[in-house]
Amino acid sequence: MSYRGPEFDDLQPRRPRRGALTVAVAALVPGALLGWLVYEAVGDSGGSGGTPGQASGASASAHPSSSASPTDAPASDAKEPSASPTPSAAAPLKGRVVVIDPGHNPGNFQHTADINRKVHIGTNWKECDTTGTSTHDGYTEARFTLDVAHRLRTLLRERGATVKLTQDGDRPYGPCIDERAKIGNAAKADAVVSIHADGSGAGNRGFHVILPASVHKGTADTRPIVGPSRDLGERIAGSFVRLTGSAPSNYVGNGTGLVTRQDLGGLNLSTVPKVFIECGNMRDSKDAALLTSGAWRQKAAQGISEGIVSFLRG
């Protein structure tokens, strides 16, 4: 499996310096050094009306992520219109639609009869939904998926994307798996990600991304989305490894972190690129320690987000 990432322009070879230029620069260095020493000797005596460094403090606060000192760039740079990012750079996903599908629903436990009714998934009938799994301490998959979905929504909106959730804990149960697919289709989403956590046995660790198989049966036809969905899944898997430090599943996917399935209605009924991600195994104590950590869930959201951004930017 290949994980795609950003590409960089080749470095251009430097032109050889002229001898005369070297001599001229050498002649200027003592003068510049002398000027700096004079400035240091008198600089504290005033002129700006403030304490040393006060004038550059505004520039530093305007660029909180910069590790450079305020004197590394003129303060006027922050006011220069040309220094501002272009609209496409500031919002690279503007005009793009992403649907996030938080698996299950916290209310499913109180509506077992409703979620057990059968719906058609294109090839056969299957239960509307399930309650999902939980850690041994009772932290439910439904709570986990909503938390990660909220974090992911914030990250994608910051990049300019229009983000929709299939559910936001705002309904008594569900939606059913067929309706979840319809929501993504109706939104004409550029990408859909269904968030889950697994409930496998202890000792089974790691994440895996589930891709749609090529299905052409009944009302299901995934053939147009198989290719782009794999691309989306590979990019999410690559960034998830990088940003969370988690390894691909040691129990499915043969170490690739990718699994192809043809029995999931959410994939079979989708007409837009879609994948599932099982972020870890809630029934393993080591994975559970990660899944219940807010700091790790933020990393998980970042990993999924970066994969989506990479896919949509091509």
Side-chain angles (χ1 to χ4, degrees):
M1 170 180 62
S2 66
Y3 297 146
R4 301 187 182 181
E7 296 179 353
F8 300 88
D9 295 332
D10 292 333
L11 295 175
Q12 298 297 321
R14 297 182 178 178
R15 296 180 179 178
R17 299 179 181 270
R18 297 176 181 268
L21 178 59
T22 302
V23 173
V25 171
L28 289 173
V29 168
L33 178 59
L34 178 60
W36 180 81
L37 291 173
V38 172
Y39 171 80
E40 285 292 287
V42 301
D44 286 349
S45 61
S48 65
T51 58
Q54 183 177 4
S56 61
S59 175
S61 63
H63 303 280
S65 62
S66 174
S67 60
S69 65
T71 56
D72 286 341
S76 59
D77 284 355
K79 301 176 183 179
E80 188 66 34
S82 60
S84 300
T86 61
S88 60
L93 301 187
K94 184 176 177 60
R96 299 294 195 132
V97 177
V98 178
V99 170
I100 305 171
D101 179 30
H104 313 290
N105 184 315
N108 282 0
F109 290 94
Q110 286 76 44
H111 296 270
T112 54
D114 295 300
I115 65 172
N116 285 334
R117 67 182 179 87
K118 298 293 182 69
V119 297
H120 202 262
I121 64 169
T123 56
N124 57 286
W125 295 84
K126 203 168 183 178
E127 289 77 9
C128 158
D129 202 359
T130 66
T131 59
T133 187
S134 67
T135 66
H136 292 296
D137 292 333
Y139 181 65
T140 66
E141 181 182 0
R143 285 179 57 196
F144 168 82
T145 63
L146 266 180
D147 182 85
V148 174
H150 291 159
R151 296 169 188 269
L152 178 57
R153 177 174 60 187
T154 298
L155 293 170
L156 291 173
R157 283 179 173 173
E158 288 174 352
R159 308 297 282 271
T162 297
V163 183
K164 299 182 179 181
L165 270 61
T166 58
Q167 60 94 8
D168 197 5
D170 52 356
R171 52 188 298 159
Y173 67 91
C176 295
I177 53 179
D178 58 337
E179 185 181 350
R180 290 173 184 266
K182 290 175 183 176
I183 291 171
N185 297 343
K188 298 182 178 179
D190 296 291
V192 183
V193 177
S194 189
I195 301 172
H196 291 264
D198 210 357
S200 187
N204 292 339
R205 298 197 61 196
F207 78 93
H208 62 278
V209 179
I210 303 174
L211 314 174
S214 181
V215 176
H216 185 213
K217 181 180 178 182
T219 57
D221 187 0
T222 64
R223 292 174 298 176
I225 69 166
V226 167
S229 295
R230 172 168 284 274
D231 187 16
L232 172 63
E234 288 181 350
R235 291 174 188 262
I236 289 177
S239 59
F240 201 84
V241 167
R242 186 175 71 254
L243 290 169
T244 67
S246 293
S249 170
N250 64 3
Y251 59 100
V252 291
N254 296 317
T256 65
L258 300 175
V259 176
T260 301
R261 290 178 59 174
Q262 59 182 3
D263 62 326
L264 298 177
L267 295 180
N268 288 357
L269 296 175
S270 183
T271 59
V272 294
K274 182 174 183 178
V275 299
F276 281 50
I277 180 167
E278 299 279 2
C279 297
N281 177 20
M282 296 195 115
R283 308 303 284 180
D284 176 83
S285 59
K286 292 181 179 178
D287 268 12
L290 299 176
L291 298 167
T292 54
S293 163
W296 187 89
R297 292 196 299 272
Q298 183 64 25
K299 293 178 182 179
Q302 290 170 337
I304 298 169
S305 173
E306 288 306 309
I308 294 172
V309 172
S310 174
F311 169 72
L312 294 180
R313 298 190 73 177

